[in-house]
């Protein structure tokens, strides 16, 4: 087994994304040159942008315009991604929301599937509006968003309520961001729902971890809540929340902080993911959660993708390589569980759910290989293996199939 240091820092200088944007004359100019210019500094910016960019979460104006132009021209792979979107039942403008005052995840009376189904319907209809220009889809997305913001007051259940607040928080905010400024969308009321229903649970989990030992919860629990805080910060132009999320990613106490989520660096540009000894379904889920954080921050001028010597890239390569059927090194991973930090260990990588398909890879391959022109052969291969990416409803009926918004082929191909 490899015994590489869990906290060794690479000497690779980091890309200051905000410095790049300033040098290139802002977001539009940076997009126009494909993000290929670089400004190397000793560290990334820590503060929220003085002015938030909108749309500026998973998709910026350049992403949307590229998909719109390429689909209209009938070019692949965008057209194949578009057909995957339009074939999904949640992207139909006839979708009827099922908003309710209380969402329960974990314990008795669970009803959270109606929330994630409606979120994915709102997101998919919003994409169809932006790429295809169909007003019926835009109106449908707004109906869903307005229905929930006028109805939802509580997210509850057992500890899984924190997963619901995290996962569905960042996803819902992304759907709303795409409809920002559309006639009839009550953005202010939606922002209030995100601040008052989702954020308190996100913050409670990140600061208290449900009263458990700090290492008890897997990386994904932290990551989905960090993603939600980040997305709410962007949606609400709230610099304090944005900074809270970025700072947790860099230096947080729990397993979602980058050096804890990626505890061991290995040779050959690989790095071990925290949940690798658990199973591959949750490991690949982590690629989607951390990827969403990095992409949203990137569109606001913060390079978390490249933070700490491309640490996340190395983990993504590691996870992709193993799930393509190849071998990877593994360092024994130990942690404490429960309230008293009872000792646990993983001594081998888990092959449970190995090769499970989730729509997380196109975005990562696009960033590292296309934007940054880095060699990521395993990311490239695994992205091609799931082409074209679908979204919620295309990967099974259980909640795991809705942990990512998907459609990366349509929105990130270059």
């Amino acid at each position: 087994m490899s015994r590489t240091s869990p906290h060794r820092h690479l000497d690779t200088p980091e890309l200051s994304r905000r410095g790049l944007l300033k040098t290139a004359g802002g977001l539009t100019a940076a997009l126009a040159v494909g993000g290929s210019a670089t400004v190397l500094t000793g560290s990334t910016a820590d503060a929220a942008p003085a002015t938030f960019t909108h749309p500026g979460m998973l998709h910026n104006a350049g992403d949307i315009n590229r998909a719109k132009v390429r689909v209209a021209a009938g070019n692949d792979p965008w057209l194949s991604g578009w057909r995957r979107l339009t074939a999904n039942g949640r992207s139909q403008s006839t979708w009827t929301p099922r908003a309710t005052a209380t969402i329960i995840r974990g314990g008795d009376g669970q009803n959270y599937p109606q929330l994630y189904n409606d979120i994915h319907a709102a997101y998919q209809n919003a994409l169809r509006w932006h790429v295809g220009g169909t007003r019926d889809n835009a109106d449908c997305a707004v109906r869903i968003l307005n229905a929930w913001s006028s109805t939802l007051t509580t997210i509850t259940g057992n500890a899984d309520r924190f997963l619901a607040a995290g996962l569905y928080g960042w996803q819902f905010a992304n759907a709303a961001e795409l409809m920002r400024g559309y006639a009839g969308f009550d953005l202010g009321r939606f922002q209030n729902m995100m601040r008052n229903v989702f954020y308190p649970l996100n913050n409670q989990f990140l600061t208290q971890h449900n009263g458990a030992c700090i290492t008890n919860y897997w990386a994904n629990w932290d990551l989905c809540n960090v993603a939600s805080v980040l997305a709410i910060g962007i949606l609400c132009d709230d610099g304090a929340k944005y900074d809270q999320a970025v700072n947790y990613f860099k230096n947080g106490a729990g397993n979602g902080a980058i050096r804890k989520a990626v505890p061991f660096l290995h040779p050959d540009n690989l790095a071990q993911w925290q949940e690798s000894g658990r199973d591959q379904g949750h490991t690949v889920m982590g690629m989607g959660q951390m990827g969403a954080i990095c992409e949203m921050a990137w569109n606001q001028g913060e390079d978390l993708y490249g933070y700490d010597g491309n640490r996340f890239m190395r983990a993504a390569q590691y996870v992709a390589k193993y799930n393509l059927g190849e071998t990877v090194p593994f360092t024994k991973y130990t942690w404490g569980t429960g309230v008293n930090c009872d000792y646990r260990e993983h001594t081998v990588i888990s092959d449970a759910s190995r090769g499970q398909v989730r729509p997380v890879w196109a975005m990562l391959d696009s960033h590292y290989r296309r934007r940054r022109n880095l060699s990521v052969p395993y990311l490239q291969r695994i992205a091609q293996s799931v082409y074209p990416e679908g979204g919620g409803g295309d990967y099974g009926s259980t909640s795991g199939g809705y942990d990512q918004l998907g459609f990366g082929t349509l929105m990130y191909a270059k």
Side-chain angles (χ1 to χ4, degrees):
M1 294 184 295
S2 170
R3 295 294 179 184
T4 46
S5 168
H7 299 299
R8 181 173 65 84
H9 291 240
L10 300 183
D11 294 327
T12 307
E14 291 170 5
L15 174 69
S16 170
R17 169 67 170 156
R18 194 161 292 126
L20 162 63
L21 297 183
K22 290 177 181 177
T23 301
L27 179 62
T28 302
L31 289 169
V33 299
S36 58
T38 60
V39 177
L40 298 179
T41 68
S43 63
T44 55
D46 292 322
T51 302
F52 283 91
T53 298
H54 300 292
M57 290 193 207
L58 289 185
H59 312 303
N60 59 45
D63 295 330
I64 293 167
N65 186 64
R66 181 182 59 248
K68 181 177 181 178
V69 169
R70 296 297 190 177
V71 168
N75 299 146
D76 261 335
W78 301 272
L79 184 61
S80 293
W82 171 252
R83 287 171 175 164
R84 194 80 192 269
L85 172 63
T86 58
N88 192 304
R90 284 148 198 79
S91 78
Q92 308 309 309
S93 62
T94 53
W95 186 270
T96 301
R98 294 189 297 156
T100 186
T102 300
I103 282 296
I104 304 169
R105 178 164 179 168
D108 295 332
Q110 293 190 118
N111 63 351
Y112 68 100
Q114 68 195 68
L115 174 58
Y116 67 63
N117 273 287
D118 277 4
I119 290 172
H120 283 255
Y123 172 75
Q124 292 178 27
N125 273 275
L127 281 189
R128 289 192 66 169
W129 154 244
H130 277 288
V131 177
T134 45
R135 187 166 294 276
D136 285 349
N137 290 110
D139 292 339
C140 178
V142 166
R143 282 198 304 273
I144 298 168
L145 298 172
N146 285 346
W148 281 94
S149 69
S150 66
T151 306
L152 182 65
T153 60
T154 307
I155 298 173
T156 189
N158 61 22
D160 285 1
R161 69 190 184 277
F162 297 114
L163 285 176
L167 289 167
Y168 312 136
W170 73 259
Q171 293 177 4
F172 226 168
N174 267 273
E177 177 78 352
L178 289 174
M179 299 313 299
R180 192 184 199 100
Y182 188 81
F185 175 40
D186 194 334
L187 175 62
R189 191 175 69 195
F190 195 92
Q191 289 170 326
N192 286 336
M193 177 187 70
M194 300 307 298
R195 292 189 194 101
N196 298 327
V197 179
F198 289 87
Y199 175 75
L201 285 171
N202 303 147
N203 184 59
Q204 182 184 344
F205 184 79
L206 293 175
T207 56
Q208 301 175 26
H209 285 87
N210 202 32
C213 173
I214 192 61
T215 57
N216 179 74
Y217 287 97
W218 302 102
N220 276 307
W221 289 71
D222 269 4
L223 290 172
C224 67
N225 282 284
V226 169
S228 184
V229 173
L230 185 68
I232 293 168
I234 296 168
L235 184 73
C236 299
D237 296 299
D238 187 330
K241 289 182 176 60
Y242 178 94
D243 284 344
Q244 179 185 3
V246 171
N247 289 335
Y248 198 97
F249 177 94
K250 294 179 179 179
N251 300 301
N255 283 322
I258 181 66
R259 295 182 189 92
K260 299 180 178 73
V262 188
F264 305 112
L265 302 180
H266 292 295
D268 300 322
N269 220 24
L270 302 176
Q272 188 170 314
W273 185 252
Q274 188 255 348
E275 300 190 52
S276 294
R278 181 189 183 192
D279 64 67
Q280 296 308 305
H282 286 96
T283 295
V284 176
M285 175 186 174
M287 300 300 98
Q289 301 304 308
M290 187 167 278
I293 293 168
C294 292
E295 186 68 18
M296 290 189 288
W298 177 266
N299 284 326
Q300 296 299 330
E302 185 84 28
D303 183 22
L304 299 183
Y305 275 119
Y307 188 73
D308 198 21
N310 290 317
R311 198 178 188 99
F312 179 44
M313 180 198 76
R314 296 179 65 161
Q317 279 272 92
Y318 177 95
V319 174
K321 182 177 182 180
Y322 185 68
N323 281 275
L324 285 166
E326 300 193 30
T327 59
V328 293
F330 187 85
T331 295
K332 183 171 75 172
Y333 177 74
T334 65
W335 75 101
T337 189
V339 176
N340 298 317
C341 281
D342 297 330
Y343 180 85
R344 296 288 187 273
E345 65 179 30
H346 285 149
T347 58
V348 296
I349 194 168
S350 173
D351 62 1
S353 303
R354 190 178 188 183
Q356 182 182 95
V357 176
R358 285 178 179 247
V360 305
W361 299 111
M363 182 172 68
L364 306 185
D365 176 58
S366 171
H367 175 79
Y368 289 114
R369 188 166 61 91
R370 297 297 192 183
R371 282 183 184 147
R372 296 296 311 281
N373 197 30
L374 298 173
S375 175
V376 284
Y378 304 111
L379 282 179
Q380 181 177 2
R381 282 173 51 195
I382 203 164
Q384 291 171 344
S385 75
V386 298
Y387 161 95
E389 278 188 358
D394 292 324
Y395 299 94
S397 59
T398 60
S399 62
Y402 297 82
D403 288 342
Q404 291 82 31
L405 289 171
F407 300 105
T409 303
L410 172 64
M411 299 307 298
Y412 298 112
K414 293 185 172 63

